[in-house]
Amino acid sequence: MRAPIDTGDTAWMLVSTAFVLMMTIPGLALFYGGMVRKKNVLATLIQSFMICCIASLVWMVAGYSLAFSTGSPWIGDLSRVMLHGVADNFRAGVDSAFTLGAGTPAAVTMTIPESVFMMFQMTFAVITPALITGGYADRMKFSAMCLFSVAWLLLVYAPVAHWVWSPTGWVAGLGAVDFAGGTVVHINSGVAGLVCAIILGRRKGLGHEDFSPFNLTYAIIGASLLWVGWFGFNAGSALGANGRAGMAMLTTQVAAAAGGVAWMVVEWARTGKPTALGIISGAVAGLVAITPAAGFVLPGSAVVIGLIAGAGCFWSATWLKHRFGYDDSLDAFGVHGTGGIIGAILTGAFAYGPLSATASNPEGTVASAHQVIAQTEAVGVTIVWCVIMTTVILKVLDLVMGLRVSPDEEREGLDMVLHGERIN
């Protein structure tokens, strides 16, 4: 007999899915759009919007199947291409729960329809390549961005998602955990943004011209939408309306607050003034770092993670970037890569077993040196795979069509050059 769905869990997951989609459009679009110069605002906004369109279709056609069908420990199979079989659980107009990893010893019976699980995961696949745009803002061709997003989702995001989140994934088999995307989303996107920044090179005029943000009001609104949407991102990753979702929501809130405070204090002490851009960046850093840990740690630990992330990401986005000379335009690596690494490793240092305990694993995931090592291994393999594959994708695209607009086009601004529109 097929298991009935839990209507409460399903309702929460529908809401969470909408929250996560809001993180990209309009949240991330406004956050990034407010940080670029006036001549590139529309081009930056439409990158997030177009990636939402592209990633949704790529996820439906093949991405979901590669990430979450059983397949092998390395990659899923093609059994869910074009969402084949997603409606198989319908009987007399009523859907029933599905089993993730069916037919394997690690199978998990879900309490929500597969359509809802698939759609929730789609919103993660949407925001991850959109985050990468912060690394190459102001200089990549729109056509190259579109093709890069398709290839990156299939060759980088889907495999890593399978390794970490599929019941049969080999990274999960190492004992590493990632509650809501520290490795899959943030390290992946942050490292890819860094690779893009290095391969495309620095923006013209950087260090000599005024690169002040056009409208920090947009960025503050965007960061606020990201913060609210993050409750769907993290609490939704409990995949049900339950106590673990509640704890994940609480740890998310206090980590974000701690990140904002930490960045503010460090920046204030160093420069004499706490900036609006710094405070919102710190809050996002706290959100990033708590993502892998949200359902595994207690609130006190979440505050510590947020404080470390706020200070650590400030260092990465300022000293580290200037020390090595790469132009990570909107700090995709500085915030998401660095914050994801901090959060993923600290998950192993602060995990509280009862939050993740199950009948098959009564102790749950417990903080230990062994767990820290497993988390570090997951971080390492994610970085290596992302660097190699992102580099290959970019080099191929550069040979075929070129990645970057011309110097004259860059000076004119991407709004007019790429889209024939401008903000008056």
Side-chain angles (χ1 to χ4, degrees):
M1 181 177 178
R2 295 177 181 271
I5 63 170
D6 184 297
T7 55
D9 288 351
T10 302
W12 169 238
M13 293 310 300
L14 289 168
V15 171
S16 294
T17 299
F19 275 7
V20 182
L21 182 61
M22 183 184 73
M23 290 173 67
T24 306
I25 51 171
L28 185 68
L30 286 169
F31 183 61
Y32 277 173
M35 288 194 280
V36 297
R37 291 168 292 174
K38 184 178 180 180
K39 62 185 180 180
N40 295 323
V41 172
L42 293 176
T44 303
L45 291 170
I46 204 60
Q47 284 178 339
S48 290
F49 198 95
M50 190 65 243
I51 286 173
C52 179
C53 299
I54 290 170
S56 297
L57 296 177
V58 171
W59 193 246
M60 173 190 168
V61 172
Y64 175 70
S65 188
L66 293 173
F68 287 102
S69 58
T70 301
S72 71
W74 302 97
I75 194 68
D77 55 39
L78 301 179
S79 61
R80 284 292 191 261
V81 165
M82 291 296 292
L83 302 187
H84 173 76
V86 167
D88 286 354
N89 289 324
F90 272 92
R91 294 292 185 276
V94 178
D95 202 0
S96 58
F98 78 105
T99 301
L100 187 64
T104 71
V108 179
T109 300
M110 311 295 281
T111 60
I112 59 176
E114 188 170 6
S115 60
V116 176
F117 177 78
M118 178 269 174
M119 179 64 192
F120 180 65
Q121 293 296 338
M122 178 190 286
T123 59
F124 283 63
V126 164
I127 196 170
T128 308
L131 291 170
I132 301 172
T133 65
Y136 58 72
D138 292 353
R139 56 205 190 274
M140 184 181 268
K141 293 179 179 178
F142 189 73
S143 55
M145 181 217 73
C146 292
L147 291 179
F148 170 77
S149 298
V150 173
W152 193 87
L153 276 167
L154 293 175
L155 298 177
V156 182
Y157 182 84
V160 175
H162 183 78
W163 300 349
V164 176
W165 284 336
S166 170
T168 60
W170 73 276
V171 172
L174 296 174
V177 295
D178 182 355
F179 191 70
T183 50
V184 180
V185 176
H186 295 295
I187 296 174
N188 231 356
S189 63
V191 170
L194 177 60
V195 173
C196 288
I198 292 171
I199 290 179
L200 268 76
R202 294 161 61 87
R203 287 168 290 177
K204 300 301 179 184
L206 186 66
H208 307 288
E209 300 176 7
D210 183 8
F211 276 72
S212 300
F214 165 65
N215 193 329
L216 282 178
T217 302
Y218 288 178
I220 293 171
I221 294 171
S224 302
L225 289 167
L226 284 168
W227 190 330
V228 175
W230 226 289
F231 294 131
F233 202 76
N234 285 359
S237 291
L239 299 177
N242 51 45
R244 201 173 184 196
M247 185 61 76
M249 179 173 280
L250 174 56
T251 55
T252 298
Q253 177 69 15
V254 297
V261 169
W263 190 301
M264 178 191 72
V265 169
V266 174
E267 183 180 46
W268 205 339
R270 182 174 177 182
T271 68
K273 292 182 180 179
T275 64
L277 181 58
I279 292 169
I280 61 176
S281 297
V284 173
L287 291 165
V288 169
I290 197 60
T291 294
F296 293 102
V297 303
L298 296 175
S301 299
V303 170
V304 174
I305 290 172
L307 291 171
I308 294 172
C313 291
F314 174 82
W315 168 81
S316 180
T318 55
W319 183 87
L320 187 68
K321 180 166 67 172
H322 295 306
R323 172 66 178 80
F324 289 97
Y326 57 84
D327 184 14
D328 179 11
S329 310
L330 308 180
D331 294 316
F333 177 76
V335 172
H336 295 276
T338 304
I341 292 168
I342 290 170
I345 294 173
L346 290 182
T347 300
F350 292 115
Y352 178 66
L355 289 175
S356 56
T358 63
S360 59
N361 181 21
E363 292 187 359
T365 300
V366 180
S368 65
H370 174 77
Q371 190 62 46
V372 170
I373 292 170
Q375 298 300 114
T376 305
E377 289 174 343
V379 168
V381 297
T382 301
I383 291 173
V384 170
W385 180 257
C386 185
V387 167
I388 292 172
M389 295 308 298
T390 302
T391 300
V392 170
I393 294 167
L394 289 172
K395 291 296 186 180
V396 170
L397 287 176
D398 197 24
L399 286 173
V400 172
M401 62 189 305
L403 293 173
R404 186 168 177 162
V405 298
S406 70
D408 289 340
E409 291 172 329
E410 190 175 333
R411 293 187 185 96
E412 183 177 352
L414 303 189
D415 289 0
M416 279 302 299
V417 166
L418 297 180
H419 306 290
E421 301 164 303
R422 64 159 51 100
I423 295 176
N424 295 319

